[in-house]
Amino acid sequence: MRKSVFFSVAAATALVAGASVAAEGDTLAQVKSRGELLCGVNTGLVGFASPDANGNWTGFDVAFCKALGAAVLGDSSKVKFVPLTGQTRFTGLSSGEVDVLSRNSTWTFSRDTDLKLDFAGVNYYDGQGFLVPKSLGVSSAKELDGATICIQTGTTTELNLADYFKANNMEYRPVNIDSNAEGEQQYMAGACDSYTTDASGLAATRAAFANPDQHVILPEIISKEPLGPIVRHGDNNWGDIVRWTLFALIAAEEYGVTSANIEELAKSSQNPEVQRLLGTTDDLGAMIGLDKEWAKRAIAASGNYGEIFAATIGEQTPIGLPRGLNAQWTQGGLLYAMPFR
Amino acid sequence: MTDSLPAAPPAPPFRPGMLIYDRRYRSLTFQVIVFILVMSLAWWLIGNTVENLSRLGKDIDFGFLFNRAGYDIPQQLIPYDSDDTHLRAAVVGLLNTLLVSALGCIAATLLGITAGVLRLSRNWLFARLMTIYVETFRNIPLLLWILIIYAVFTEITPAPRAYQGEDGRQLILGLVAPTNRYTAIPAIVAEHSPGVLELGRIHIPWLAIMFIGLLVAAVVIRSAINSRARRIQGRTGRRPVTWWINLALFAVPPVVLWQVFGLHLELPALAGFNFKGGISVDNSLVVLWLALTLYTGAFIAEIVRAGILAVSRGQTEAAYSLGLGPRQTMNLVILPQALRVIVPPLISQYLNLTKNSSLAIAVGYMDLRGTLGGTTVNQTGRELEGILLMMLVYLAISLIISGVMNLYNRRVTLKER
């Protein structure tokens, strides 16, 4: 009898030990054996990541996950989107709940080092702004002394806000909220005078209002918020795959590869870099454990960076963000894909 | 002297088999085995956690508590700003937890006793109303109540700006301004202030200290007077009139303070975006307090009802036959006996309320869960350390509450002589 107790305890121990080890290790192998990419996204920010009435996720961050799913699994529909709040996102990534986090997250020193995350690159250069109703009669953030401000907890914007008001010797009352949806609700109900987050997020939030033209984003941008996809620290090959999928989307725009002409260019392009990118010559895919056409599939999934931008958050969409800093380096922006060779 | 006692019969030699087959040792053997198994499981769990963390490149380190927090907290009982440490932020959060829990426990007790007694009332309407109250609040999750009350506060009350301008809203009675963020109420300020007591960064007005001191003195003197009255009543059968002394004890000091220091009300006034002056009570605190009170009050009402029903009907009849009215019967005969049944489950309700206050995050009230367990953990990435600390603190609070309440319980239990 004693023996059976001992053995069952030992067996349970081994089971738990096995399960905890599975959270680490070779992410690529796990994704392939699972046949599904788990992608952490915003709980709902129109333009970046939001589910439609049928539960299909769309948006700028979602399109990146689809491209990654296409590159790794050959099918952009094999992505499962896991909505994570500002407070749960990094824990979700660290604990293996998602394979990659594509969720308006700012690349900061402590997150990169102390939180043991790896940023794969920047897919949106952003900065923190303030949204106010026009009726408030405020035209500058410097006039917000004494205002009540809605702020998402656990974000870099929370820290910037405290610093900005301190530096300008102003006071404010924070209203702590948990998600963008809650922020929108509180702001619309007038529970705060201003809502602050990344300017892109403000534009996206405003676009969802019934009458967006009654709200303005103040001109002050009080911080640098480089947003990009994140992976766990330690799995360098998986990090490479995510990083170079992002570069593939950016490079495709630079070289004029679009979802429309990709098949044609794969056959006929004379540009050696395009040939390597699309897998016509050389075999870059093998170096990261994928096949030759990984990048081609990634670009074909939702188009190149410019196409994704235009379709989800660009000036033709209700969100109406200009390319600004997010234009190609050849167009005076900051987007710069490392060479494919 | 030399006469020695007969030697004790030699104990049977100990054999390992006796650990199982001898009843004297068997239970001990199994307890030792279970203890070793439990300890090795705990040891393995801790070791596994530490190893997994180190494989992720993380260590267990509480040093983050002394780093700059960098975030602001809307409501603070001790001075705090974003340059302070995470530790101070956690203390601010802890005080907020204690504040809402204490307010909640007091209000829920009053509400619960009232509702519990009224539910047994012979007045049909009161009894039914209380039944409806108890059953609705007891059977719907607390989080929903918090969210509903929050929504009501946010949607129904106006923004502070609604009070500005010529035809703006008027303050209620010219004193109170409910808004969708906070309720602005007047503050009491002194014209000739006696200054403040400075304890580090904490500043306590002397006036408040004096007021509390006088209040405590009044309570002490009142109980002395009452016990003297009881003694005289016991000796002579006539109770001296004490009500005017008691009234004066509580009425005179405030009047004196008011006259000496020129106390007056400072009305809240709209300045810029928000009210300045007066006191702004955050809606998150009010909402949480209200929800905890109503929810826990329903449970306490049931406990009180059970306690009263546990007192035998004969006690009431005996009291009536002595000429006591229903009110005196309840206060002097029934409730004191019912307390024996009421207090132990009441302790559990206090613990529940305190732990439930961690749902504060739903309304953005920055309690311990919101500061240490929320923003701090999130900004530093120290989940394990933060949660462990939080568990320890909640455990300590709960043990203190139940310790104090058990002392009280020992006082009200039936003393058999």
Side-chain angles (χ1 to χ4, degrees), chain B residues 11 43 64 89 109 122 129 186 197-198 208-209 226 230-231 254 257 264 271 281 313 320:
Chain B
W43 178 251
F64 71 95
T109 309
R122 273 199 226 128
L129 278 178
L197 173 67
E198 289 185 27
I209 299 173
N226 280 356
R230 251 196 315 279
R231 269 203 314 278
L257 283 181
H264 57 92
V281 187
R313 173 99 192 114
Y320 284 169

Side-chain angles (χ1 to χ4, degrees), chain B residues 354-414:
Chain B
T354 307
K355 288 180 290 178
N356 283 341
S357 72
S358 61
L359 288 171
I361 194 73
V363 288
Y365 180 71
M366 292 296 270
D367 67 339
L368 185 68
R369 160 80 182 77
T371 54
L372 175 65
T375 311
T376 290
V377 158
N378 219 269
Q379 298 292 8
T380 58
R382 298 280 173 188
E383 294 98 350
L384 195 73
E385 293 92 331
I387 302 295
L388 274 178
L389 265 183
M390 218 162 53
M391 286 166 71
L392 276 180
V393 173
Y394 275 112
L395 184 67
I397 299 175
S398 294
L399 289 178
I400 291 171
I401 294 177
S402 85
V404 171
M405 288 298 292
N406 275 325
L407 280 183
Y408 175 71
N409 188 34
R410 215 164 297 155
R411 277 187 49 196
V412 298
T413 44
L414 185 65

Side-chain angles (χ1 to χ4, degrees), chain A residues 24 87 116 146 166 172-173, chain B residues 55 57 72 83 274 282 378:
Chain A
E24 314 156 18
Q87 289 215 11
K116 304 297 175 194
K166 206 177 176 76
Y172 71 104
R173 291 174 71 98
Chain B
R55 212 176 294 176
D72 283 303
D83 281 338
N274 284 303
D282 257 0
N378 219 269

Side-chain angles (χ1 to χ4, degrees), chain A residues 1-2 5-6 9 13-14 16-17 20-21 24 86-91 94 110-111 114-116 133 135-136 138 143-148 153-156 158-159 161-163 166 171-178 182 185-186 189-193 232-233, chain B residues 20 29-30 33 37 41 44-45 48 51-52 55-59 68-74 81-83 150-151 154-155 157 159-161 180-182 272-274 276 280-282 361-366 369-370 373-375 377-383:
Chain A
M1 182 232 153
R2 259 186 309 163
V5 169
F6 177 77
V9 168
T13 308
V16 180
S20 60
V21 169
E24 314 156 18
Q87 289 215 11
T88 57
R89 53 186 165 175
F90 300 130
T91 317
S94 294
S110 64
R111 287 176 179 177
D114 197 29
L115 261 64
K116 304 297 175 194
S135 60
L136 201 62
V138 167
E143 298 167 26
L144 286 177
D145 192 10
T148 308
T153 55
T155 58
T156 50
E158 187 178 25
L159 306 180
L161 179 70
D163 290 350
K166 206 177 176 76
E171 284 183 357
Y172 71 104
R173 291 174 71 98
V175 173
N176 297 56
I177 51 162
D178 204 30
E182 201 186 325
Q185 186 208 337
Q186 292 294 313
C192 42
D193 299 306
R232 279 182 294 279
H233 190 83
Chain B
I20 293 178
T29 313
F30 280 111
I33 291 169
L37 283 178
L41 187 69
W44 174 82
L45 271 176
N48 190 54
E51 195 191 324
N52 276 334
R55 212 176 294 176
L56 277 172
K58 291 184 169 187
D59 49 347
R68 178 178 181 268
Y71 59 94
D72 283 303
I73 299 176
D81 77 13
S82 57
D83 281 338
Y150 191 44
T154 311
E155 302 292 339
T157 49
R161 266 172 294 146
N180 55 8
R181 302 159 194 180
Y182 48 82
F273 297 100
N274 284 303
K276 294 255 167 67
S280 299
V281 187
D282 257 0
I361 194 73
V363 288
Y365 180 71
M366 292 296 270
R369 160 80 182 77
T375 311
V377 158
N378 219 269
Q379 298 292 8
T380 58
R382 298 280 173 188
E383 294 98 350

Side-chain angles (χ1 to χ4, degrees), chain B residues 58-76:
Chain B
K58 291 184 169 187
D59 49 347
I60 294 188
D61 178 9
F62 287 91
F64 71 95
L65 284 173
F66 305 100
N67 295 344
R68 178 178 181 268
Y71 59 94
D72 283 303
I73 299 176
Q75 179 195 301
Q76 33 195 293

